[in-house]
């Protein structure tokens, strides 16, 4: 079972007191249920609470997941209500309408903002000290919405952002170069959507810039091939949705990784979405590498982008900001 650490004294000795970790998942559709399953297999949480307007669905998912416990990790999984978010270390929000074939993520704005206006204040009321992790699309707009509606400090409202895009990008580059994607260090930043951009100027394999890696490996550096890797990344959701109707496994794995980073206080740099003030744009939410800790997500440095990337990032931030400004938020 998973626990948070704290100090207590027993019989004159200093020992570790372990507090069970609770994680709540709001919305148990495809992404929410896959995330709960990933959490169960990871063993990160001692208790997983599933909350959904369709209570029978949540009950069924809790029952099904509970039957996997004997072959995975000892975890208490149950259906709950918003009040059961109390004392949760992290509340993961996956509730909302899903992207359908032919839709962009931004097409979901009005419907999903309305849903968040109902659920976020309730979560904030019952779990005022939790970290909110948003996965619902359009995730950048909804990360900003969650921050405004919750009243939480910026560092405790985190969107999944471009963590999935970054994973897809590293996978594509790994396939292209026939190398383990974990040896690839390349990020997608900006919007989780059509205005996202690759940071080619800082991309590397085992510490070597891509062009240097190609030279050392007697490979040709092909700009067209690199662009195809990015386009495959950018269009991945559309391609998957066209084939199976939704995406869930990739994003669920990213959410579990973010949860792991928080609970283990890893100080890992992840391309999560957070609210920030961007020069010439004002407050908005988008992704750049941020330090993720037990306390939340923090931008501890500025990326040294080239001029073209700086311009693309500004356009991405402006695109998100223009949607946010059209919303009726407090």
């Amino acid at each position: 079972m998973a626990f948070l650490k704290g100090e207590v004294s027993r019989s004159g000795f200093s020992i570790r007191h372990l507090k069970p970790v609770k994680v709540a998942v709001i919305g148990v559709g495809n992404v929410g249920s896959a995330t709960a399953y990933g959490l169960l297999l990871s063993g990160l949480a001692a208790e997983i609470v599933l909350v959904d307007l369709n209570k029978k669905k949540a009950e069924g998912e809790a029952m099904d997941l509970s039957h996997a416990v004997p072959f995975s990790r000892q975890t208490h999984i149950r259906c709950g209500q918003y009040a059961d978010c109390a004392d949760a270390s992290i509340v993961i929000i996956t509730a909302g309408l899903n992207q359908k074939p032919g839709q962009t993520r931004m097409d979901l704005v009005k419907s999903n903002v309305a849903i968040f206006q109902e659920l976020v204040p309730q979560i904030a009321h019952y779990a005022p000290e939790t970290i909110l992790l948003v996965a619902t699309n359009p995730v950048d707009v909804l990360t900003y919405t969650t921050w405004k509606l919750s009243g939480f400090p910026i560092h405790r409202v985190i969107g999944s952002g471009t963590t999935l895009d970054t994973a897809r990008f590293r996978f594509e580059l790994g396939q292209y170069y026939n190398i383990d994607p974990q040896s690839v260090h390349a990020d997608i930043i900006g919007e989780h959507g059509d205005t996202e951009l690759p940071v080619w100027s800082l991309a590397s394999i085992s510490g070597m810039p891509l062009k240097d890696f190609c030279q050392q490996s007697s490979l040709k550096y092909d700009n067209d091939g690199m662009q195809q890797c990015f386009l495959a990344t950018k269009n991945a959701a559309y391609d998957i949705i066209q084939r199976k109707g939704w995406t869930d496994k990739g994003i669920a794995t990213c959410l579990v990784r973010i949860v792991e980073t928080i609970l283990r206080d890893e100080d890992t740099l992840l391309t999560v979405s957070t609210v920030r003030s961007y020069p010439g744009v004002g407050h908005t939410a988008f992704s750049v590498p941020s330090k993720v800790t037990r306390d939340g997500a923090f931008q501890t440095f500025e990326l040294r982008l080239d001029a073209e990337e700086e311009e693309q990032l500004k356009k991405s931030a402006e695109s998100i900001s223009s949607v946010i400004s059209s919303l009726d938020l407090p």
Side-chain angles (χ1 to χ4, degrees):
M1 299 180 74
F3 302 89
L4 291 174
K5 295 179 179 179
E7 292 287 340
V8 299
S9 178
R10 181 185 296 170
S11 302
F13 295 94
S14 178
I15 65 170
R16 291 284 187 182
H17 173 65
L18 302 178
K19 177 184 176 183
V21 171
K22 179 200 288 188
V23 176
V25 179
I26 312 298
V28 289
N30 295 317
V31 174
S33 59
T35 300
Y37 184 52
L39 287 172
L40 169 62
L41 296 182
S42 72
L44 289 168
E47 181 179 3
I48 301 172
V49 180
L50 306 180
V51 180
D52 197 285
L53 287 178
N54 185 342
K55 187 175 180 180
K56 286 188 177 180
K57 175 71 161 57
E59 288 174 342
E61 290 290 353
M63 293 168 64
D64 195 12
L65 288 168
S66 294
H67 298 159
V69 168
F71 295 111
S72 54
R73 304 296 182 96
Q74 181 58 39
T75 307
H76 179 48
I77 306 167
R78 63 187 177 90
C79 169
Q81 301 176 345
Y82 291 116
D84 295 296
C85 293
D87 298 323
S89 299
I90 303 169
V91 176
I92 305 172
I93 306 176
T94 67
L97 299 181
N98 294 325
Q99 188 178 348
K100 294 180 173 59
Q103 280 188 317
T104 69
R105 296 175 181 92
M106 287 300 185
D107 290 335
L108 306 173
V109 169
K110 290 185 178 179
S111 297
N112 285 342
V113 166
I115 291 170
F116 272 51
Q117 287 173 326
E118 291 292 324
L119 64 86
V120 171
Q122 297 189 69
I123 298 169
H125 172 73
Y126 289 110
E129 302 302 321
T130 195
I131 290 175
L132 297 172
L133 176 54
V134 181
T136 309
N137 280 316
V139 69
D140 301 295
V141 174
L142 291 174
T143 298
Y144 183 92
T145 299
T146 299
W147 170 64
K148 291 293 285 186
L149 295 175
S150 67
F152 282 16
I154 286 173
H155 63 272
R156 285 202 286 121
V157 180
I158 305 172
S160 55
T162 58
T163 53
L164 178 55
D165 307 275
T166 293
R168 288 168 171 164
F169 191 42
R170 294 177 183 182
F171 170 79
E172 293 293 338
L173 289 173
Q175 290 285 101
Y176 185 85
Y177 287 113
N178 192 30
I179 199 165
D180 182 355
Q182 294 189 43
S183 297
V184 178
H185 300 278
D187 292 329
I188 300 293
I189 62 174
E191 177 197 0
H192 173 54
D194 294 340
T195 67
E196 66 187 34
L197 61 136
V199 187
W200 290 118
S201 64
L202 300 176
S204 66
I205 295 177
S206 294
M208 288 185 287
L210 295 185
K211 289 184 178 180
D212 291 349
F213 177 82
C214 288
Q215 184 177 16
Q216 293 292 329
S217 304
S218 299
L219 298 171
K220 177 185 177 183
Y221 183 84
D222 184 356
N223 284 307
D224 290 338
M226 296 298 92
Q227 185 63 16
Q228 286 303 313
C229 287
F230 169 59
L231 291 176
T233 297
K234 181 178 176 180
N235 296 327
Y238 297 120
D239 293 338
I240 295 169
I241 291 169
Q242 189 65 41
R243 288 163 172 79
K244 63 174 275 190
W246 63 87
T247 63
D248 55 356
K249 306 302 188 302
I251 184 59
T253 305
C254 290
L255 291 170
V256 172
R257 181 69 185 101
I258 296 169
V259 169
E260 179 181 42
T261 302
I262 294 169
L263 294 180
R264 293 183 175 173
D265 200 18
E266 291 183 356
D267 296 337
T268 301
L269 294 174
L270 296 172
T271 53
V272 293
S273 181
T274 58
V275 176
R276 65 192 71 242
S277 181
Y278 193 81
V281 178
H283 273 86
T284 186
F286 59 90
S287 295
V288 292
S290 296
K291 185 177 180 180
V292 182
T293 75
R294 171 81 37 94
D295 297 318
F298 302 86
Q299 187 182 1
T300 57
F301 63 93
E302 295 290 338
L303 283 178
R304 299 184 67 177
L305 304 175
D306 65 26
E308 182 180 356
E309 290 164 349
E310 285 281 9
E311 183 62 27
Q312 288 179 314
L313 182 58
K314 183 177 181 180
K315 288 180 179 179
S316 188
E318 288 173 339
S319 175
I320 299 164
S321 181
S322 67
V323 176
I324 289 172
S325 64
S326 70
L327 302 175
D328 184 21
L329 295 174

